[in-house]
Amino acid sequence: MKTLNILALSAMAATSAVAEETRQLDAHVHGVGQLNIAFDGQQIAMEFHAPGADIVGFEYQPESAEDRAAVENAVATLARPMDLFMISEAAGCSVIQATAGLESEADDHEGHDHDEHAHDDHADKDEHAHDEHAHEVHADEANHTEFHAEYLLNCADPAAVSEITFAYFEVFPNALEVEVQIISDAGATAYEVERDAPKLDLRGLF
């Protein structure tokens, strides 16, 4: 889902660098999502990740019609950022772009494994063992899915963003916490927003 424009992607690259260590440590912690926010002029770029269990109650690839319907509904909901992460009205923000989808950890390894097989010079027995191992790894990783969403907002007055209300917790009952990384002219800042205190106070950020 590479839908954000070049300006927003540049801003998000800085944010992602700040958040990468935290994201690696907290991958697939049920109840914990990650939200990266980058302020760049009048634009705000956001990137959100959450374990499948937080959003639809399971982390395997959807199998039944009920599973697929749950995922489709979740994707449609996640594609409406202003309903989940409610920014101060005074900022006058509107959504320019929004995408959401379900991803599997195994997807990140498929291309790499394919290249290994293409250049594998081992004996047939070794190749078979390698294939079995790869299959086992993929089977295990396929059990871990996460939702990924990207948003681009335009705001009349970004400096007026004094708080963000996380209605996200009301929409998704399994969600307990969101780790937030924000980058702006003031630098990079990390926050933790929890279900029992769903407002992020950004006064003094600008």
Side-chain angles (χ1 to χ4, degrees), residues 143-162:
N143 290 328
H144 297 288
T145 59
E146 72 172 17
F147 284 85
H148 175 212
E150 295 179 351
Y151 315 121
L152 182 61
L153 312 180
N154 189 74
C155 303
D157 185 7
V161 178
S162 59

Side-chain angles (χ1 to χ4, degrees), residues 7 10 52 59 65 71 86 103 120 150 171 174 177 186-187 196 200:
L7 178 64
S10 297
E59 287 198 343
V71 169
M86 302 167 65
E103 300 177 347
D120 195 356
E150 295 179 351
V171 177
N174 292 332
E177 178 183 320
D196 59 357
L200 177 58

Side-chain angles (χ1 to χ4, degrees), residues 56-177:
V56 291
F58 58 84
E59 287 198 343
Y60 53 79
Q61 289 289 347
E63 299 172 353
S64 66
E66 183 179 359
D67 289 346
R68 289 190 290 272
V71 169
E72 289 177 3
N73 289 336
V75 168
T77 300
L78 288 169
R80 299 191 296 270
M82 302 297 281
D83 292 342
L84 302 175
F85 311 108
M86 302 167 65
I87 296 175
S88 310
E89 291 186 9
C93 298
S94 59
V95 179
I96 298 176
Q97 296 179 26
T99 62
L102 180 66
E103 300 177 347
S104 169
E105 273 192 349
D107 294 339
D108 296 333
H109 297 269
E110 287 178 352
H112 177 66
D113 287 341
H114 176 75
D115 290 342
E116 285 184 349
H117 291 311
H119 299 285
D120 195 356
D121 294 325
H122 294 296
D124 290 343
K125 183 176 179 180
D126 291 337
E127 287 181 354
H128 179 67
H130 177 75
D131 288 344
E132 284 186 343
H133 175 69
H135 177 74
E136 291 173 357
V137 172
H138 280 227
D140 180 64
E141 290 174 341
N143 290 328
H144 297 288
T145 59
E146 72 172 17
F147 284 85
H148 175 212
E150 295 179 351
Y151 315 121
L152 182 61
L153 312 180
N154 189 74
C155 303
D157 185 7
V161 178
S162 59
E163 68 177 25
I164 300 176
T165 300
F166 283 65
Y168 165 75
F169 293 114
E170 296 180 8
V171 177
F172 299 109
N174 292 332
L176 303 176
E177 178 183 320

Side-chain angles (χ1 to χ4, degrees), residues 28-33 50-51 53-54 59 168-169 174-178 193:
H28 297 296
V29 176
H30 290 185
V32 181
D54 291 16
E59 287 198 343
Y168 165 75
F169 293 114
N174 292 332
L176 303 176
E177 178 183 320
V178 176
V193 182

Side-chain angles (χ1 to χ4, degrees), residues 19-29 32 34 179:
E20 182 63 23
E21 182 176 353
T22 298
R23 178 164 161 66
Q24 289 295 328
L25 291 173
D26 293 327
H28 297 296
V29 176
V32 181
Q34 289 85 32
E179 296 177 345

